[in-house]
């Protein structure tokens, strides 16, 4: 059956494939391109981690690079728009892309004959991965490509969780209406078969209708271990589960906010890594404020970043940091604090932020929760100090250097549904409140969380 789907993808001028979590979507793309497609295919996806996985799998199957080019929709579009901003009608920042404007600009470029010829001469077809994550501007861009190249899309509407109020995802019914031809469904739970846990994979496939109707499945008799835990007991429970379960483990928290600070800090002390988005959004907010903000905005952004990035700071340390960030007079007794106050009297500046990172890291008992953002910030400020290059340019360059790093290989990690989607772990622990529909996520977020673990899935309901 799978080979029939692969052939259908290769032969279609346009169409869609439904691809539930863990059922071999990446394999479908590799096999389709390697065995059934002629010419070179443009493979578009959404994350740099996804690009990495696809490239690795192409190499593992010894598929010649002449047969494919893999990129994110964002990077592929941005590379064209940066080359021809005037032709594209793009007037946004050249350092930090304004993505909505980029996709609109790329659609304009695709109406230019020289761009259309360039794309058509480079590829014989397009395959778009994770199509459920396309926003409306992205979808409109792909539809533009569909007018002159074969275009096939793979996705799963139950995993469409990236949309936000001001940038919603395209509705799956719109996708199927546009691409019309149903090229098949991938329905073998390879992720769980490989883990000798096939029953779990079939159970996940069987409950998909519940999620399509926004209903939670019945866990009685299911492979999911579910229990209620009081907040006061959560830390010790997580530590015990961590040491009970071997292999890679991920704690999955709310979609749009971090775990409670004490819980997160405790996990970091037990060698967990906090997963961060590709653009390092906490760092991005700080860089924008340090570049363009008022003194108050710079101070607020610095305070917010340091509070988010570090756990375990004492009340006394917090007071000292708050005052020096805001340029307030203080006469500290400690020599290290006094030295910082003598050096920095103007409030939040890039150099002050850099020096405060060193100060915090010398304090015993603190934990760095945003290790990647802190590492990137140090590189940016050091180069800014040496070259006076604009902070936003340095931020964009640093993100470019890091974007293909594999952030999914941490032995123990903490992430939201947004950050773990597309990743696979041996064990997952899902933390949610009893009123989870209000503050945690929706049924699609729950489906994504339940499908991340190949060996065990634990659902902890948090109570007061």
């Amino acid at each position: 059956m799978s080979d029939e789907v692969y052939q259908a993808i290769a032969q279609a001028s346009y169409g869609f494939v439904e691809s539930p979590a863990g059922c071999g979507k990446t394999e479908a793309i590799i096999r389709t391109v390697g065995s059934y497609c002629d010419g070179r295919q443009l493979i578009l996806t959404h994350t740099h981690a996804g690009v990495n996985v696809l490239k690795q799998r192409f190499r593992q199957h010894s598929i010649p690079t002449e047969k494919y080019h893999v990129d994110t929709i964002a990077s592929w579009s941005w590379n064209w728009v940066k080359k021809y901003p005037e032709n594209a009608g793009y007037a946004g920042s050249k350092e930090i892309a304004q993505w909505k404007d980029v996709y609109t600009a790329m659609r304009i470029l695709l109406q230019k004959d020289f761009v259309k010829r360039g794309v058509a001469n480079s590829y014989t077809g397009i395959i778009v991965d994770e199509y459920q994550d396309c926003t409306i501007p992205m979808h409109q861009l792909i539809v533009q490509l569909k007018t002159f190249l074969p275009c096939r899309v793979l996705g799963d509407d139950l995993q469409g969780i990236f949309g936000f109020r001001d940038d919603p995802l395209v509705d799956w019914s719109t996708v199927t209406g546009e691409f019309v031809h149903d090229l098949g469904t991938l329905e073998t739970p390879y992720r769980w078969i490989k883990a000798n846990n096939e029953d779990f994979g079939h159970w996940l496939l069987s409950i998909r209708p519940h999620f399509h109707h926004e209903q939670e499945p019945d866990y009685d008799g299911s492979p999911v271990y579910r229990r209620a835990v009081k907040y006061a007991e959560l830390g010790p429970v997580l530590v015990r589960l961590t040491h009970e379960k071997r292999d890679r483990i991920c704690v999955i928290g709310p979609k749009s906010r971090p775990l409670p600070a004490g819980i997160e800090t405790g996990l970091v002390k037990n060698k967990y890594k906090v997963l961060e988005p590709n653009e390092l959004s906490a760092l991005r907010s700080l860089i924008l404020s340090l570049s363009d903000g008022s003194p108050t905005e710079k101070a607020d952004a610095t305070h917010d970043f340091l509070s988010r990035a570090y756990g375990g700071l004492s009340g006394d340390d917090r007071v000292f940091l708050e005052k020096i960030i805001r340029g307030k007079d203080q006469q500290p007794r400690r020599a290290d604090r006094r030295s910082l106050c003598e050096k920095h009297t103007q409030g939040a500046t890039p150099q002050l932020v850099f020096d405060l990172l060193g100060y915090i890291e010398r304090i015993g008992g603190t934990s760095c929760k945003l290790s990647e953002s802190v590492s990137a910030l140090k590189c940016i400020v050091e180069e800014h100090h040496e070259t006076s290059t604009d902070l936003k340019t340095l931020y964009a360059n640093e993100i470019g250097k890091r974007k293909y790093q594999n952030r999914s290989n941490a032995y123990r990690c903490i992430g939201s549904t947004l950050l773990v989607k597309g990743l696979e772990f041996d064990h997952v622990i899902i933390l949610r409140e009893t009123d989870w529909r209000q503050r945690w996520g929706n049924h699609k977020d729950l489906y994504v969380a339940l499908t991340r673990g190949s060996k065990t899935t634990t659902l902890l309901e948090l109570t007061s």
Side-chain angles (χ1 to χ4, degrees):
M1 179 63 184
S2 294
D3 277 289
E4 293 176 10
V5 176
Y6 306 158
Q7 292 180 54
I9 298 170
Q11 294 167 4
S13 55
Y14 53 89
F16 65 92
V17 173
E18 183 178 344
S19 47
C23 288
K25 177 170 52 58
T26 301
E27 181 73 9
I29 294 172
I30 305 305
R31 290 284 301 281
T32 296
V33 173
S35 301
Y36 300 109
C37 285
D38 295 324
R40 193 183 202 203
Q41 300 295 310
L42 173 62
I43 316 295
L44 295 175
T45 188
H46 292 271
T47 67
H48 297 294
V51 170
N52 259 352
V53 169
L54 284 163
K55 287 182 175 179
Q56 288 171 9
R57 293 286 288 279
F58 274 123
R59 288 194 293 268
Q60 289 170 4
H61 285 72
S62 301
I63 309 298
T65 55
E66 295 79 16
K67 297 205 69 172
Y68 64 88
H69 173 72
V70 187
D71 208 340
T72 64
I73 299 172
S75 292
W76 186 78
S77 302
W78 183 227
N79 286 335
W80 275 100
V81 171
K82 280 194 298 186
K83 283 183 182 178
Y84 307 106
E86 293 183 4
N87 295 82
Y90 177 76
S93 169
K94 305 298 190 300
E95 293 84 17
I96 300 179
Q98 308 297 312
W99 290 115
K100 275 189 175 180
D101 296 338
V102 168
Y103 301 129
T104 300
M106 189 62 206
R107 281 169 49 211
I108 293 172
L109 277 182
L110 287 171
Q111 297 170 32
K112 308 289 184 182
D113 285 341
F114 78 98
V115 176
K116 190 182 298 186
R117 285 196 304 271
V119 175
N121 289 337
S122 299
Y123 313 106
T124 57
I126 297 168
I127 298 174
V128 187
D129 189 17
E130 303 281 14
Y131 204 85
Q132 76 280 344
D133 293 331
C134 282
T135 60
I136 291 173
M138 288 180 181
H139 171 67
Q140 293 169 338
L141 168 59
I142 302 301
V143 170
Q144 187 73 30
L145 285 167
K146 173 175 167 279
T147 61
F148 61 91
L149 275 175
C151 191
R152 298 82 88 204
V153 305
L154 294 86
D156 175 15
D157 59 324
L158 287 182
Q159 296 183 73
I161 63 172
F162 281 152
F164 294 94
R165 188 174 303 168
D166 60 344
D167 198 14
L169 299 178
V170 63
D171 188 84
W172 192 250
S173 63
T174 302
V175 176
T176 58
E178 178 66 47
F179 290 93
V180 182
H181 302 302
D182 185 347
L183 305 178
T185 300
L186 303 175
E187 48 194 11
T188 303
Y190 292 109
R191 174 176 299 164
W192 297 277
I193 291 173
K194 291 177 182 177
N196 295 316
N197 198 15
E198 185 172 354
D199 288 346
F200 198 174
H202 286 298
W203 180 78
L204 289 166
L205 288 172
S206 74
I207 62 172
R208 285 175 62 81
H210 290 271
F211 286 98
H212 277 124
H213 290 93
E214 297 187 356
Q215 298 171 352
E216 189 160 10
D218 183 359
Y219 297 108
D220 289 343
S222 79
V224 175
Y225 173 68
R226 183 188 189 192
R227 63 168 288 192
V229 178
K230 292 182 179 180
Y231 265 110
E233 301 170 353
L234 180 57
V237 168
L238 289 174
V239 172
R240 178 176 58 78
L241 287 171
T242 294
H243 293 293
E244 281 180 1
K245 299 182 182 296
R246 299 180 179 181
D247 305 315
R248 297 181 63 235
I249 185 170
C250 180
V251 175
I252 303 176
K255 176 178 183 174
S256 302
R257 56 191 171 86
L259 293 176
I263 297 299
E264 191 176 62
T265 300
L267 288 171
V268 170
K269 288 183 177 179
N270 278 275
K271 303 188 184 306
Y272 277 80
K273 177 182 179 181
V274 177
L275 297 178
E276 301 182 57
N278 286 326
E279 74 277 11
L280 304 179
S281 52
L283 175 60
R284 184 180 189 274
S285 297
L286 174 63
I287 292 297
L288 289 174
S289 293
L290 289 176
S291 298
D292 304 324
S294 67
T296 299
E297 290 169 337
K298 292 177 182 179
D300 289 343
T302 300
H303 178 270
D304 291 346
F305 179 83
L306 294 178
S307 298
R308 179 71 189 93
Y310 290 95
L313 288 165
S314 70
D316 184 51
D317 280 312
R318 291 182 183 279
V319 170
F320 168 72
L321 292 171
E322 175 79 15
K323 286 185 176 180
I324 194 169
I325 287 168
R326 299 191 183 280
K328 295 181 179 179
D329 290 335
Q330 54 184 324
Q331 300 295 324
R333 295 180 179 179
R334 282 172 40 180
D336 57 344
R337 291 182 178 180
R338 192 163 56 250
S339 175
L340 283 169
C341 289
E342 290 170 355
K343 182 178 178 181
H344 299 285
T345 59
Q346 303 301 314
T349 64
Q351 190 59 49
L352 171 63
V353 176
F354 182 87
D355 289 346
L356 290 180
L357 297 180
Y359 167 80
I360 292 171
E361 288 168 0
R362 289 189 294 270
I363 300 172
T366 59
S367 300
C368 182
K369 298 189 288 185
L370 301 184
S371 56
E372 195 166 351
S373 287
V374 168
S375 169
L377 177 57
K378 289 177 180 178
C379 294
I380 290 168
V381 177
E382 282 181 337
E383 190 167 351
H384 174 70
H385 180 71
E386 292 171 1
T387 67
S388 298
T389 305
D390 176 76
L391 287 173
K392 291 188 289 187
T393 298
L394 293 173
Y395 162 81
N397 293 342
E398 192 64 29
I399 294 298
K401 294 174 188 175
R402 293 167 180 262
K403 65 183 180 182
Y404 291 111
Q405 290 181 3
N406 186 354
R407 298 190 176 99
S408 65
N409 60 0
Y411 190 68
R412 297 173 181 172
C413 62
I414 308 164
S416 67
T417 54
L418 288 172
L419 293 175
V420 302
K421 197 178 83 65
L423 305 181
E424 176 184 342
F425 306 92
D426 296 299
H427 310 284
V428 298
I429 302 171
I430 304 168
L431 306 182
R432 72 176 194 191
E433 298 92 343
T434 52
D435 62 344
W436 64 277
R437 291 174 185 83
Q438 281 71 50
R439 304 186 64 216
W440 187 87
N442 59 31
H443 284 82
K444 292 183 179 181
D445 292 286
L446 178 58
Y447 174 78
V448 167
L450 288 172
T451 56
R452 295 308 97 196
S454 63
K455 295 181 180 179
T456 69
T457 295
T458 302
L459 176 58
L460 300 183
E461 303 272 15
L462 306 180
T463 62
S464 56

